[in-house]
Amino acid sequence: MSALYATYARSEASFERGEGMRLFDQHGREYLDFHSGVAVNALGHGDPHLVSALKAAADKVWHTANTFTIPEQERLGQRLVDATFADAVFFTNSGAEAIECAIKTARHYFWAKGQGERYEVIAFSGSFHGRTLGTIAAGGNPDYLQGFGPAAPGFKHAKPGDLDSVKALITPETCAILIEPVQGEGGVTAMSSEFMQGLRKLCDDNDMLLILDEVQCGFGRTGRFFAYEWSGITPDIVAVAKAIGGGFPLGACLAKGDVAASMVPGTHGSTYGGNPLATAVGNAVLDRILAPGFIDNVNAMGQRLSWHLQQLAQKYPDYVLELRGKGLLSGIKLSTPARDMVTRLRDDHQFLCIGAGDNVLRLLPPLIVSEADIELAMEKISAAFDAIEAEAAAAPAAS
Ligand SMILES: *Cc1c(COP(=O)(O)O)cnc(C)c1O
């Protein structure tokens, strides 16, 4: 009996060693990792550059409060500013905290302009923004809100892809729109460029801020550094986490300078956020992801994955209902229960992936995936479909 909260349906599999795209469990069994600890292990396992950065940081000062200057944090912040739309960065330990900072920044921006009544955020059904009291209200998933008292006020939910449903929710109290450019956990749904451009225009026309949750889809995963780049828009605030630390807990809220300007001493804080260990690793992750050709290769592998998935869909039309996503954030909507498929792939085929809402099998390989890895993944998924078919044929026909 485990001493831990029973909040996760845990498998007994426990990984002792990792090497690139592969993990090895306590029995020495080798698994192909298309899960990446939920899009976190962007550089796979045991990347030598990350390992040496963390070891070097461990020999220095591990932690100081954020009231002192942390050189690695200054450097990582400046590099993120140089590589994006942003002028200012606040570091956190997680995605939910990055979203909290984003929402607080938007509300405070209007409050400082004497418009404190503008605090409402328009978010979307099917979205996921984290598990704090604020971010479950932002996500609006009734399953995650149930039993935790009244939802934090100030969030309304529109329909993804439906601009009219967004317009209908705009009031004099609205301060921002909050959206994942590619919904991850909700079912791997990519927003169209037209929709993202429409949201930008709605924000411009109504003096609202556009907040993007790129915690899962950002940092190279879709084949661009950030997913918003595909639509050519410029956001006002972007929340980042997961891949930014490559496995070390780290997140960030990026903002335009005028938007972040009201976040002065006393308005926000985090004890650990951006500490020397975390930002040393963050800088090492950035070295790899922004190296010439890295993201281009992610884009190429995303296209290969998409091509192979189309072949799979043609071969197994009874099982594959729809292909979704963008780049290396991809989903297969299944006719059979996705949760059972995740378990079957893990236990029978040593293949790690993850479910998503709407009965979708989510594939999130490390960004270092090769086409040979993708081909092996397709073989394993095909073998699982074949096994399901064989079991159905062997079972007595239901009459
Ligand atoms: C994972 C995730 C979060 C929450 O991140 P945590 O680090 O678990 O707090 C928020 N938004 C999106 C899109 C995510 O995928």
Side-chain angles (χ1 to χ4, degrees), residues 38 94-97 99 128-131 180 213 215-216 241-242:
V38 199
S94 69
E97 289 169 287
I99 295 290
F128 180 77
H129 299 298
R131 295 292 206 145
E180 295 166 84
D213 181 344
V215 168
Q216 188 160 155
K242 294 203 163 99

Side-chain angles (χ1 to χ4, degrees), residues 103 107 110 115-121 153-155 172-176:
I103 295 165
R107 289 181 177 177
F110 286 106
Q115 299 178 278
E117 74 285 357
R118 294 186 68 175
Y119 67 91
E120 271 189 10
V121 174
F155 299 97
E173 279 79 49
T174 313
C175 71

Side-chain angles (χ1 to χ4, degrees), residues 43-364:
L43 299 169
H45 304 278
D47 181 272
H49 184 58
L50 267 56
V51 171
S52 68
L54 182 59
K55 283 183 174 166
D59 283 332
K60 300 184 196 163
V61 175
W62 283 21
H63 177 81
T64 64
N66 270 306
T67 44
F68 299 96
T69 296
I70 300 172
E72 289 282 2
Q73 185 184 138
E74 297 282 345
R75 191 161 85 86
L76 184 56
Q78 188 59 51
R79 293 174 79 190
L80 290 171
V81 162
D82 292 344
T84 67
F85 75 99
D87 307 300
V89 183
F90 183 92
F91 286 103
T92 68
N93 313 288
S94 69
E97 289 169 287
I99 295 290
E100 291 273 352
C101 180
I103 295 165
K104 285 180 72 175
T105 301
R107 289 181 177 177
H108 207 262
Y109 167 76
F110 286 106
W111 177 85
K113 291 206 294 181
Q115 299 178 278
E117 74 285 357
R118 294 186 68 175
Y119 67 91
E120 271 189 10
V121 174
I122 299 175
F124 290 86
S125 53
S127 62
F128 180 77
H129 299 298
R131 295 292 206 145
T132 62
L133 289 168
T135 54
I136 56 176
N141 182 337
D143 293 342
Y144 296 168
L145 283 160
Q146 186 179 36
F148 297 107
F155 299 97
K156 288 176 171 172
H157 296 88
K159 232 178 121 228
D162 182 349
L163 271 186
D164 288 333
S165 76
V166 183
K167 277 184 206 154
L169 295 179
I170 298 174
T171 71
E173 279 79 49
T174 313
C175 71
I177 292 174
L178 165 64
I179 190 163
E180 295 166 84
V182 185
Q183 287 187 343
E185 145 130 9
V188 195
T189 311
M191 302 301 139
S192 70
S193 290
E194 296 71 40
F195 184 61
M196 295 302 292
Q197 290 157 5
L199 292 180
R200 178 68 269 177
K201 185 164 187 315
L202 273 186
C203 287
D204 292 342
D205 293 349
N206 295 279
D207 185 29
M208 306 182 306
L209 299 176
L210 182 59
I211 307 173
L212 303 183
D213 181 344
E214 296 230 15
V215 168
Q216 188 160 155
C217 63
F219 250 72
R221 182 149 294 276
T222 67
R224 290 289 190 86
F225 189 31
F226 284 101
Y228 72 78
E229 295 170 24
W230 288 108
S231 59
I233 61 159
T234 304
D236 298 299
I237 305 175
V238 173
V240 196
K242 294 203 163 99
I244 189 176
F248 202 100
L250 180 64
C253 175
L254 316 184
K256 283 186 180 163
D258 58 329
V259 171
S262 85
M263 297 298 279
V264 295
T267 55
H268 196 47
S270 166
T271 299
Y272 287 121
N275 93 351
L277 289 174
T279 45
V281 177
N283 273 308
V285 171
L286 210 54
D287 292 341
R288 294 286 317 276
I289 288 189
L290 292 185
F294 185 92
I295 292 176
D296 290 340
N297 188 58
V298 174
N299 192 32
M301 286 305 118
Q303 286 172 10
R304 294 317 295 156
L305 177 60
S306 164
W307 184 84
H308 283 284
L309 285 172
Q310 283 162 29
Q311 306 301 303
L312 188 81
Q314 275 172 25
K315 195 167 162 212
Y316 297 98
D318 293 344
Y319 296 111
V320 179
L321 300 182
E322 192 187 334
L323 298 174
R324 297 183 176 180
K326 189 139 189 89
L328 295 180
L329 171 45
S330 68
I332 310 172
K333 185 169 162 63
L334 295 177
S335 60
T336 55
R339 195 176 301 160
D340 297 347
M341 186 68 170
V342 169
T343 307
R344 176 188 287 272
L345 283 165
R346 181 191 68 216
D347 294 346
D348 297 350
H349 305 278
Q350 283 71 57
F351 179 74
L352 304 176
C353 63
I354 179 173
D358 203 21
N359 205 45
V360 167
L361 194 76
R362 189 168 22 153
L363 304 181
L364 295 167

